[in-house]
Amino acid sequence: MEIFIDSDKLKKVLNIVARAVADTKTNPVLSGVKIEAANGRIVVTGGDEEITIVREISLGDDKSERILEAGTILVPIKYFHELIKKLPNQTIINIKKNNRQINITAGEIETTLSGMDEEDYPSLPRFSEENGVTIKGSLLIEMIKETQFAAAKVNSRAVLTGVNWLFSENTLTMIATNTQRMALRKTTLNSTVSGSFILPVKALGDLVNSIDKHQFISIYPSENSMVFKGKDILFYTRLISGTYPDISRIIPEESITELVVSRSLLLQGVDRANLLASQWKHNNVTLSLTEDGKIQVASSTTEVGQITERIKVQDVNGDKSLKISLDGKFLAETLKSINEEMVSLIFGGNLRPVIITPYNKKSTLHLISPVRAS
Amino acid sequence: MEIFIDSDKLKKVLNIVARAVADTKTNPVLSGVKIEAANGRIVVTGGDEEITIVREISLGDDKSERILEAGTILVPIKYFHELIKKLPNQTIINIKKNNRQINITAGEIETTLSGMDEEDYPSLPRFSEENGVTIKGSLLIEMIKETQFAAAKVNSRAVLTGVNWLFSENTLTMIATNTQRMALRKTTLNSTVSGSFILPVKALGDLVNSIDKHQFISIYPSENSMVFKGKDILFYTRLISGTYPDISRIIPEESITELVVSRSLLLQGVDRANLLASQWKHNNVTLSLTEDGKIQVASSTTEVGQITERIKVQDVNGDKSLKISLDGKFLAETLKSINEEMVSLIFGGNLRPVIITPYNKKSTLHLISPVRAS
């Protein structure tokens, strides 16, 4: 195997693939990145036990990039990526296999890395392109960002550490919850796929990092895995097995108070309140309404101090005696995940979950359960 | 005590002072920042066991900033700094002492922090302004940056963990060494001060962060401490006691090979070589000369690989059979500390220290001792 390739292109692809490559000692072959050159195509593959990224590099027309000899190599990603990153930009790199050694040359820089046995690298799972859904990259990234933060962290029920993707006729709904808060994002799409799938949060982060927001991405779900296909990328992830809880029952239907407020002003206020709430187990931040119809954000920590601020609301309806304590960290994360400038807060009572949505947009819905103020 | 002060000005000063404030439990009072308001001046003081920074804030002319009641407060820097950072920019902050409570108000944001007893804060050491030296801030910062990195890390002889400042008639010389490498920077200045002082590296980092490069700084050394005075700042640091070794004897006077090379090209080459040298105890990187008069930079790690690159030199004189192994990390740090684009490397032999200087500039001199190649 011998290729000539532009250093900038290789850097860009390795930045994407390297993030996903395992830093594992249980399966050393996964610490490598595979480069295949054949039929005018160079394909870079890397991943871990959960995901695999396959990225194609298209060669330029001017013959400075070319495949001199087809073949496959497997090199330790750590050294290979660090080395390629440190090579000059806008240079042609020559990569050549020499028995188990990989020679990497750029101008007067000559490097040899010990290769790994490419035969040991796991082959890609087969998948069918019959049953799929196509979605714009930017929408997919937006939906993932609006939900994944709400999933449970480690040491929870396995299904809750992932994000539930529900395909039903012409609709995709993403849901994440850690039982104290929930994020839900829905979209309509042209789809015949149906079913419920649970995607690991780490895979979703790598997916967002890997796909081009301007491309259309095709999604092919199967029982154990999901495949994402773009113009020059294939992204495989394993699914989390198990049954995701039905959250439709927990969304409150009655409200006693509703208000509309600037997302950024509320977020800044909650951020400040979190300073003095951070010593609490639950980051208690208390929301209430003032007599003149402002929303008041407050927190306190004994022996340190207290903070109270009032924020003008655009609109408020219903019971003004509301007073509710929430986990300020959950509230800040929720507000950060929303793109719109105005948000609606819908309260069902002091002990009921709060609903937070972008103003006048029903496709995104967040729930945060109250904590008992001490 | 009650003051009105611009949020941007207070943020800027706290960013400087907070870096120096102790995160200590041995002397809790040092975890506070002291704010004194009197005679139209607001003075902010913070530090740790080793250094103290005193920064004055000048009030604007338009009366929106003012001292309503003179006095002094001491507040925990951690909460106070985090809070002030999160307050809106271009706002007037009202700070008011209310018994042991400190009220901080900005518009609709009302905060109360528990104060500390300002009587407990250590008073500043006295110093004499009789015997001092004045130096431009930018030159002082440059000299510190060119030397401090070469000092020994913890667990060495105490004197070597600092930087030696030698004042003699009209000259200031800064020297740092960890016995394997040394950095020296000299300047002429109008001075009657003389003596040898050892400054702690952490204090030098805080000093660089604290002073304005456009201001002139007066330096007042005494037996145990050194004081730096600028237009709106006083910076105190304790000195390290002990006798600094005389390094004048170890600078080699004979050379067998001298060359001039681009600093950035050599640094990039050493950076790459360090990738494959990093598994070694000493980060061995080998320098040699090629037959066509280039400098060759090489390293290798068994079972991982090797790298060799050749860099064009501007000028080379003397013995071309040179081959010397250095700690690549020391070499990279040295090259990074130099501002000039061309550097001279002067070799006294395979087992003698290498001298590195900016080309045609004798006021800066670096030494790196060779390591034995395995």
Side-chain angles (χ1 to χ4, degrees):
Chain A
M1 185 268 213
E2 181 171 6
I3 59 173
F4 293 84
I5 187 163
D6 177 74
S7 60
D8 295 358
K9 282 190 196 171
L10 187 56
K11 285 178 196 195
K12 197 177 149 197
V13 167
L14 287 178
N15 286 343
I16 289 169
V17 175
R19 269 188 50 157
V21 169
D23 191 12
T24 176
K25 275 165 186 152
T26 54
N27 194 353
V29 73
L30 291 179
S31 68
V33 59
K34 188 166 81 163
I35 302 179
E36 296 167 275
N39 306 323
R41 298 166 68 220
I42 294 177
V43 177
V44 179
T45 304
D48 60 13
E49 265 97 0
E50 201 163 72
I51 73 164
T52 308
I53 301 179
V54 183
R55 193 71 157 62
E56 186 175 334
I57 305 178
S58 47
L59 303 182
D61 292 332
D62 68 352
K63 302 280 178 204
S64 61
E65 293 185 292
R66 61 191 188 277
I67 296 170
L68 207 73
E69 189 193 341
T72 302
I73 59 168
L74 183 65
V75 273
I77 183 89
K78 188 184 145 203
Y79 288 103
F80 186 68
H81 184 214
E82 284 300 317
L83 174 69
I84 300 295
K85 264 202 287 192
K86 286 182 185 285
L87 290 180
N89 293 333
Q90 298 178 324
T91 307
I92 294 296
I93 303 176
N94 173 237
I95 302 176
K96 186 180 177 182
K97 188 175 174 181
N98 189 352
N99 295 319
R100 279 289 295 272
Q101 301 298 307
I102 315 298
N103 300 332
I104 300 144
T105 310
E108 292 271 34
I109 307 164
E110 293 171 10
T111 309
T112 305
L113 291 181
S114 298
M116 300 156 76
D117 193 345
E118 63 273 10
E119 305 292 331
D120 294 342
Y121 202 79
S123 53
L124 291 170
R126 291 173 179 279
F127 71 97
S128 150
E129 297 198 19
E130 258 176 46
N131 216 358
V133 177
T134 296
I135 184 170
K136 186 77 187 282
S138 52
L139 177 59
L140 184 60
I141 291 171
E142 182 183 301
M143 293 179 73
I144 291 172
K145 286 186 174 172
E146 283 184 14
T147 48
Q148 64 165 352
F149 71 92
K153 304 297 176 266
V154 284
N155 299 328
S156 308
R157 282 165 58 196
V159 293
L160 296 187
T161 66
V163 179
N164 186 210
W165 289 21
L166 275 171
F167 291 91
S168 59
E169 204 183 334
N170 296 331
T171 309
L172 167 58
T173 309
M174 298 186 188
I175 299 158
T177 180
N178 68 356
T179 75
Q180 282 109 52
R181 50 100 175 259
M182 186 207 71
L184 178 153
R185 173 65 201 268
K186 205 180 273 203
T187 194
T188 54
L189 35 80
N190 215 333
S191 153
T192 56
V193 172
S194 71
S196 171
F197 307 91
I198 307 172
L199 287 93
V201 164
K202 182 191 172 286
L204 293 171
D206 287 332
L207 179 64
V208 163
N209 183 53
S210 304
I211 59 178
D212 181 342
K213 66 179 178 181
H214 303 294
Q215 286 184 14
F216 279 89
I217 307 292
S218 297
I219 307 176
Y220 304 103
S222 70
E223 200 188 329
N224 300 316
S225 68
M226 197 174 278
V227 182
F228 298 81
K229 188 180 176 186
K231 196 173 74 68
D232 49 12
I233 191 164
L234 274 174
F235 185 104
Y236 298 75
T237 177
R238 283 208 196 169
L239 297 173
I240 297 174
S241 58
T243 306
Y244 203 81
D246 176 11
I247 54 83
S248 60
R249 295 172 296 118
I250 64 165
I251 301 172
E253 296 190 349
E254 284 169 29
S255 81
I256 59 159
T257 313
E258 299 194 20
L259 59 87
V260 179
V261 64
S262 152
R263 183 187 68 84
S264 57
L265 288 184
L266 183 58
L267 175 57
Q268 287 162 25
V270 173
D271 248 356
R272 283 186 282 265
N274 279 343
L275 277 181
L276 293 179
S278 58
Q279 290 193 333
W280 285 82
K281 196 186 162 200
H282 286 299
N283 297 302
N284 285 24
V285 167
T286 302
L287 303 182
S288 57
L289 293 171
T290 62
E291 282 191 6
D292 58 347
K294 288 179 174 166
I295 184 165
Q296 177 166 298
V297 182
S299 72
S300 66
T301 299
T302 321
E303 294 192 357
V304 177
Q306 61 194 60
I307 184 164
T308 301
E309 85 180 75
R310 287 167 295 280
I311 300 162
K312 235 176 95 177
V313 304
Q314 182 180 291
D315 199 17
V316 55
N317 285 302
D319 181 0
K320 306 274 197 313
S321 68
L322 177 86
K323 185 173 177 183
I324 189 167
S325 291
L326 302 173
D327 183 315
K329 192 165 157 264
F330 291 168
L331 183 53
E333 286 176 350
T334 298
L335 293 168
K336 270 179 206 151
S337 78
I338 295 175
N339 296 311
E340 288 75 10
E341 178 41 29
M342 300 303 292
V343 290
S344 298
L345 273 64
I346 302 166
F347 301 90
N350 296 355
L351 298 172
R352 298 289 177 87
V354 184
I355 297 178
I356 302 168
T357 63
Y359 179 57
N360 267 345
K361 190 177 160 192
K362 296 297 169 217
S363 57
T364 301
L365 184 144
H366 297 275
L367 274 191
I368 304 178
S369 292
V371 285
R372 280 171 200 274
S374 62
Chain B
M1 184 267 211
E2 182 170 6
I3 59 172
F4 292 84
I5 188 163
D6 177 74
S7 60
D8 296 357
K9 281 190 197 171
L10 187 56
K11 284 178 195 194
K12 198 178 149 197
V13 166
L14 286 177
N15 285 342
I16 290 170
V17 175
R19 267 187 53 157
V21 170
D23 192 10
T24 175
K25 276 165 186 151
T26 54
N27 194 354
V29 73
L30 290 178
S31 68
V33 60
K34 188 166 78 163
I35 303 179
E36 296 167 275
N39 307 322
R41 299 165 67 220
I42 294 177
V43 176
V44 179
T45 305
D48 59 13
E49 264 98 359
E50 202 162 71
I51 73 165
T52 308
I53 301 178
V54 183
R55 193 71 156 65
E56 184 174 334
I57 305 178
S58 46
L59 303 181
D61 291 332
D62 69 352
K63 302 282 175 200
S64 62
E65 294 185 294
R66 62 191 186 279
I67 297 170
L68 207 70
E69 189 193 342
T72 302
I73 60 168
L74 183 65
V75 274
I77 185 88
K78 187 183 148 203
Y79 288 102
F80 186 68
H81 185 214
E82 284 301 316
L83 173 70
I84 300 295
K85 264 202 286 192
K86 286 181 186 286
L87 290 180
N89 292 332
Q90 299 179 323
T91 307
I92 295 296
I93 303 176
N94 173 237
I95 301 177
K96 186 181 175 179
K97 189 175 174 182
N98 190 352
N99 294 322
R100 279 288 298 269
Q101 301 296 306
I102 315 297
N103 300 333
I104 301 143
T105 311
E108 292 271 34
I109 306 163
E110 293 171 10
T111 310
T112 304
L113 291 181
S114 298
M116 301 156 76
D117 193 345
E118 63 273 11
E119 305 292 331
D120 295 343
Y121 201 78
S123 53
L124 291 171
R126 291 172 178 278
F127 70 98
S128 149
E129 296 197 19
E130 259 177 46
N131 215 358
V133 177
T134 297
I135 184 170
K136 185 78 186 282
S138 52
L139 176 59
L140 184 60
I141 291 171
E142 184 184 300
M143 292 180 74
I144 291 172
K145 286 188 174 170
E146 283 185 14
T147 48
Q148 64 166 355
F149 71 92
K153 304 295 174 267
V154 284
N155 299 329
S156 309
R157 281 164 60 196
V159 293
L160 296 185
T161 66
V163 179
N164 185 210
W165 289 21
L166 276 171
F167 291 91
S168 58
E169 204 184 333
N170 297 329
T171 310
L172 167 59
T173 309
M174 298 187 187
I175 300 158
T177 182
N178 68 356
T179 75
Q180 282 110 51
R181 50 104 174 255
M182 187 208 67
L184 179 150
R185 173 67 200 269
K186 206 180 276 201
T187 194
T188 53
L189 35 81
N190 216 331
S191 152
T192 56
V193 172
S194 71
S196 172
F197 308 91
I198 307 172
L199 287 92
V201 163
K202 180 190 173 287
L204 292 170
D206 287 332
L207 180 65
V208 163
N209 184 52
S210 304
I211 59 179
D212 181 342
K213 66 178 177 181
H214 303 293
Q215 286 184 15
F216 279 87
I217 307 293
S218 297
I219 307 177
Y220 304 103
S222 69
E223 201 187 327
N224 301 314
S225 68
M226 198 175 277
V227 182
F228 299 81
K229 188 179 175 186
K231 194 173 74 70
D232 49 11
I233 191 166
L234 274 175
F235 186 102
Y236 297 76
T237 176
R238 283 209 196 169
L239 298 172
I240 297 174
S241 58
T243 306
Y244 203 82
D246 175 13
I247 54 84
S248 61
R249 294 171 298 119
I250 63 167
I251 301 172
E253 295 189 349
E254 283 169 31
S255 82
I256 60 160
T257 314
E258 299 194 20
L259 59 86
V260 179
V261 65
S262 153
R263 184 187 67 86
S264 57
L265 288 182
L266 183 58
L267 176 57
Q268 287 162 26
V270 172
D271 248 357
R272 283 187 282 266
N274 279 343
L275 277 181
L276 294 178
S278 58
Q279 290 193 333
W280 285 82
K281 196 186 162 202
H282 286 298
N283 298 302
N284 285 21
V285 166
T286 302
L287 303 182
S288 57
L289 293 171
T290 63
E291 282 190 7
D292 58 349
K294 287 179 175 167
I295 184 165
Q296 177 166 297
V297 182
S299 72
S300 66
T301 299
T302 322
E303 295 192 358
V304 176
Q306 61 195 62
I307 183 163
T308 301
E309 86 180 74
R310 285 167 296 281
I311 299 161
K312 231 176 100 177
V313 302
Q314 182 183 292
D315 198 18
V316 55
N317 285 302
D319 181 1
K320 306 274 197 311
S321 68
L322 177 88
K323 185 173 180 186
I324 189 167
S325 291
L326 303 173
D327 183 314
K329 193 164 155 267
F330 291 167
L331 183 53
E333 286 176 349
T334 298
L335 293 168
K336 271 179 206 151
S337 78
I338 295 175
N339 296 310
E340 288 75 10
E341 177 41 29
M342 300 303 293
V343 290
S344 298
L345 274 63
I346 302 167
F347 301 90
N350 296 355
L351 298 173
R352 297 288 175 89
V354 184
I355 297 178
I356 302 169
T357 62
Y359 179 55
N360 267 346
K361 189 178 159 193
K362 297 296 168 217
S363 57
T364 301
L365 185 146
H366 298 274
L367 275 191
I368 304 179
S369 292
V371 286
R372 280 171 200 274
S374 61

